[in-house]
Amino acid sequence: MLDTIIDYLASISPVKAAFLATLFTWLLTAVGAGFVFFFKQMNRPLLDAMLGFTGGVMIAASFWSLLAPAISMSEGEGFIKVMPAALGFVGGSLFIFFLDKVLPHLHVNFKKAEGIKTPWQKTTLLVLAITMHNIPEGLAVGVLFGGAASAMPEATIAGAVVLALGIGLQNLPEGIAVAVPLRRMGMSRRKSFFFGQSSALVEPIAGVLGAAAITIFTPVLPYALAFAAGAMIFVVIEEVIPETQQAGNTDLATLGFIGGFTIMMILDVALG
């Protein structure tokens, strides 16, 4: 089954392949948001474990799928070889840092809105928080597909598919983390689902842009891979992990993180 998917994606344009792969990651966000039709309350310990899982997947993907290939495909030796990855990594981190300071958003615990002051409703702010997380995820998938189409040996279709699979799995709890709190606030199930799934609509957009950019400017691939890695790791350290520590479920969150990291590492090394 996986081989068939990989062969098909390899036979089409990288932009179309990136679109289909990120459409899959959006779909799993929608599946997570669909939990709102069955549950009105969040089981906070379970959510923290799932968010820990999300962090583990993102950290593992950042290294195995993005940083390691970025370093491997760079020319030169020593400091020269690692500089494209280092510059891209810092650039991606600063990009999300800037968005975090400027874009108004609100986290699951509803304690404090971040970004510039705005009269926007909590609904919009919560959706924006998850949307900000999804930008580097879609970008990472698109960049890998673009690199594979450019015949870079370190970037493969199989690796891009595995990355999309891992991101899709961790999108499930993100869909829940948006939709269920909105339902608890009194919003209808349909509206809660709509806002929950819409937080991942940015992934196909970022995926297509990433793939298109790499097919046109192949030399920037190491920078782009590391850029996506830096953005993802910033999100994990600044947003995801602190969120899991709010309710005292640190052990569950840590075990979830270990599980997510291990699964993503196995998938990437064994299949990618």
Side-chain angles (χ1 to χ4, degrees):
M1 177 65 176
L2 186 60
D3 289 339
T4 302
I5 294 174
I6 292 172
D7 290 340
Y8 172 71
L9 293 177
S11 68
I12 60 178
S13 73
V15 172
K16 184 177 180 180
F19 175 74
L20 292 176
T22 48
L23 202 62
F24 165 77
T25 63
W26 161 82
L27 177 62
L28 288 190
T29 304
V31 171
F35 275 61
V36 76
F37 291 107
F38 307 98
F39 306 99
K40 186 175 181 178
Q41 298 291 333
M42 281 190 303
N43 182 311
R44 187 61 201 232
L46 177 60
L47 178 64
D48 286 340
M50 295 177 72
L51 288 175
F53 178 89
T54 291
V57 168
M58 292 176 71
I59 292 291
S62 296
F63 176 75
W64 298 101
S65 298
L66 301 172
L67 277 176
I71 295 171
S72 179
M73 69 179 60
S74 298
E75 298 180 354
E77 299 292 337
F79 287 107
I80 295 178
K81 187 174 182 64
V82 78
M83 285 311 295
L87 292 174
F89 185 84
V90 172
S93 302
L94 292 178
F95 172 70
I96 299 298
F97 174 79
F98 175 76
L99 286 184
D100 186 66
K101 297 301 180 185
V102 174
L103 186 68
H105 59 285
L106 184 69
H107 301 294
V108 178
N109 54 42
F110 297 104
K111 289 184 178 179
K112 183 180 179 182
E114 297 182 4
I116 60 175
K117 299 290 184 180
T118 176
W120 294 350
Q121 295 182 349
K122 289 183 177 180
T123 302
T124 304
L125 296 177
L126 181 59
V127 173
L128 284 175
I130 304 299
T131 299
M132 185 171 64
H133 295 184
N134 289 330
I135 293 174
E137 296 170 6
L139 181 64
V141 174
V143 165
L144 266 185
F145 275 108
S150 301
M152 300 293 290
E154 297 84 1
T156 65
I157 295 293
V161 170
V162 168
L163 178 61
L165 177 60
I167 288 176
L169 289 175
Q170 60 92 31
N171 274 0
L172 272 166
E174 289 189 353
I176 297 172
V178 177
V180 175
L182 294 179
R183 173 59 180 158
R184 192 177 68 243
M185 291 168 56
M187 186 175 289
S188 70
R189 286 185 170 89
R190 288 187 178 182
K191 283 189 176 181
S192 298
F193 170 77
F194 173 78
F195 284 111
Q197 60 80 31
S198 66
S199 65
L201 288 176
V202 70
E203 289 193 4
I205 298 173
V208 166
L209 291 176
I214 294 304
T215 55
I216 298 172
F217 306 107
T218 304
V220 305
L221 181 57
Y223 298 91
L225 289 172
F227 182 95
M232 289 173 65
I233 288 181
F234 184 94
V235 166
V236 173
I237 301 302
E238 207 276 337
E239 306 282 1
V240 178
I241 296 303
E243 192 67 55
T244 66
Q245 310 299 302
Q246 299 295 322
N249 302 309
T250 55
D251 289 342
L252 287 174
T254 302
L255 291 174
F257 181 96
I258 297 300
F261 187 98
T262 303
I263 290 173
M264 188 63 205
M265 178 178 65
I266 291 172
L267 287 174
D268 199 284
V269 175
L271 303 177

